[in-house]
Amino acid sequence: MYQEEETSFYDLLEISPSAGPTEIYEAYQRARETYSPHSAAIYSMFTEEEARELLRLVDEAYSTLSNRSRKRAYDLRLGLLDDEELKNETPNAYHSHPNKSPEKQDSLVEERKVGRAEEGWTGIVKVHRKVDPLPEGQERTRFSTYTVDAQFEKDIEDVEECDGSFLQKIREYKNVPLQELSEAMKTSRSTLRALEENELDRLPVQVFTRGIVVQYCRMLGLDEHKVVAAYMTYYKSQKST
Amino acid sequence: MMKASPKLSTATKKKVVDLRGRIAPQSTIIAVGAGKGGVGKSFFSSSLAYFLAQMGHKTLLVDMDLGAANLHTWLGEGLPSKGINEFMKDTNLTIGDVISPTMKNNLHLISGASEGLYNGDISDAEKSRLLSALYNYPTDYIILDLGAGTHTSTLDYFLMAQHHVVVFTPEPSSIENAYRFMKAVFYRKIRRYGSRLDIDQRIEHITKNNHNIKSPRDLLNTLHKEFPEISKDLKEVMNQLQFQIVLNQIRTAQDRNLGKGIKSVCQRHFGLPCEFLGALSYDNAVWQSLRQKKHLLVANPYSHLYAQIMAMARKLADPSQPKNMVS
Ligand SMILES: Nc1ncnc2c1ncn2[C@@H]1O[C@H](COP(=O)(O)OP(=O)(O)OP(=O)(O)O)[C@@H](O)[C@H]1O
Ligand SMILES: [Mg+2]
């Protein structure tokens, strides 16, 4: 359902988004040479397969960035065009509620947010592409679909301190079976149950527990910073007593 | 990062304390490493030192190749009577006691020669004494010519610098060894300097949870995402490590592209900004002048190498040079 692809083509070709056609072409030639199977530069750094994949990406980058309209669409998806520009072009996309806007614009908004939030070390941007439209009032996790409950969404948004049972409530609200979550997180069911049932003594040391909660939130599509902090507040208050 | 301005005379330089209460080094320290012996570390270090001195900077060249030092030969100097070995053996000596002047104005040398001293024989306390003596020695530039290999002491000497130069040649074995050296440096850095961030535990946690981590960059990205609370500190620590690549002994114009390619590959692999400092031609004049016991830049100022090295010295010495830091 979710596809995760690593893209900033600009990053891959080591050019700035404002680079002109000649610069793009030269960068492309250079990248092709660097990642070619016989290049000495990749020797012992990338496997043949990784190099092939990089070459494929380099070609894709060039075919996208060398074409004006494709480049534009790509920039839009990365959120590189400024708000004004975007507003003028697709007036509904940025401001309307995602659930109510037409599907195409809906996913555009999603990607914009993701593209901005997840800047990595060298400005690599992960772009998530959403597929299959959903009926109104429905949302999805990677495991399930569920009916949006505005009140509960607000409770989650406002949470400042929460225990494991609150996490469980969210999971059940989103129709995510414990078994599937456990498999996806590569974390045992009994650990997840200990988390949800507040059996802190059966949980690993703090950094690991925190890691589990981070993943748990991410799997459920929650604002991880908020919810993890809320849970850790609870966790610490329990540990200190 | 604090950078000593070359314009300041050493006497007026004060100890500068950064925000964390660490004392900034009393000079700009440039480390020159490589994975393999014989690629041209000593040639590059001595040439760079020569130009920095020429540009009017007080420069100290240190032969850190403790096992097999020969830097004095590159400068056409005789073997100094004191050097690193003496400093290590006699704790009453200061670093100033083992510095020798050279024929070149502004250029000083700490020799590493005389009988062999091995990395493995040096205790942590001795290593710290040497590192802190160099760190606190007030001058404009200190250039560390390191030995080959990935001994932890070598990695620590390399990491104490603000500039991290890695010398490559176009041969696959040199490239492979240089990459191995850089990987060792990366992991030493993240483990040692990240220890206050519980890095070991976190890395273990990440690898146990089966993330698909194939490179240092994947590791950084995952750490950064899994543990947003340390992300800022981690970035600050790791951004201090920006490799500067020198490709020595090139014979064709194509080799020059190789230098840029190596930089791209490193950037992709480590997820940290790297820089291609420049390429140096292969020139028989290098060993011919060595045989004449003169530095190439003195014996043969018409070599291509003269301009190539000067350009690199200028790049390294210019404090206004923009550094492409990751935010
Ligand atoms: N650009 C060059 N052109 C021609 N010969 C070179 C060049 N650079 C280095 N050499 C030759 O390569 C040999 C090794 O150089 P150098 O001693 O600088 O390497 P090194 O990396 O310091 O080696 P070690 O690890 O043994 O200290 C020297 O004998 C020198 O003559
Ligand atoms: Mg040497």
Side-chain angles (χ1 to χ4, degrees), chain B residues 191-320:
Chain B
R191 288 226 133 89
R192 211 178 127 91
Y193 295 80
S195 59
R196 69 192 153 82
L197 305 173
D198 297 326
I199 283 295
D200 277 342
Q201 253 190 347
R202 293 177 202 270
I203 291 178
E204 194 190 323
H205 171 65
I206 284 172
T207 33
K208 215 165 57 189
N209 276 280
N210 227 351
H211 287 277
N212 192 14
I213 293 176
K214 283 183 291 197
S215 64
R217 193 186 62 171
D218 294 343
L219 179 66
L220 288 180
N221 275 328
T222 312
L223 279 170
H224 170 69
K225 269 201 229 149
E226 284 292 300
F227 304 108
E229 76 275 19
I230 61 161
S231 146
K232 191 168 158 280
D233 285 348
L234 189 62
K235 274 185 184 177
E236 195 196 308
V237 166
M238 295 313 290
N239 266 323
Q240 294 161 357
L241 182 60
Q242 305 194 8
F243 294 107
Q244 293 176 298
I245 291 151
V246 170
L247 186 59
N248 187 24
Q249 304 187 22
I250 67 162
R251 289 162 205 258
T252 63
Q254 221 183 353
D255 286 343
R256 198 178 298 275
N257 286 346
L258 178 60
K260 291 186 190 148
I262 287 173
K263 177 220 147 192
S264 303
V265 167
C266 289
Q267 221 157 248
R268 271 212 96 56
H269 185 79
F270 293 106
L272 296 168
C274 302
E275 186 188 7
F276 176 48
L277 210 52
L280 295 171
S281 304
Y282 182 91
D283 189 340
N284 285 325
V286 172
W287 58 264
Q288 282 160 358
S289 58
L290 198 57
R291 200 174 291 173
Q292 292 168 35
K293 295 207 157 81
K294 277 189 191 153
H295 196 276
L296 163 91
L297 303 171
V298 180
N300 196 342
Y302 302 106
S303 165
H304 278 316
L305 288 163
Y306 196 92
Q308 290 169 340
I309 293 165
M310 187 162 67
M312 291 192 217
R314 289 220 170 112
K315 254 194 201 174
L316 277 168
D318 182 3
S320 67

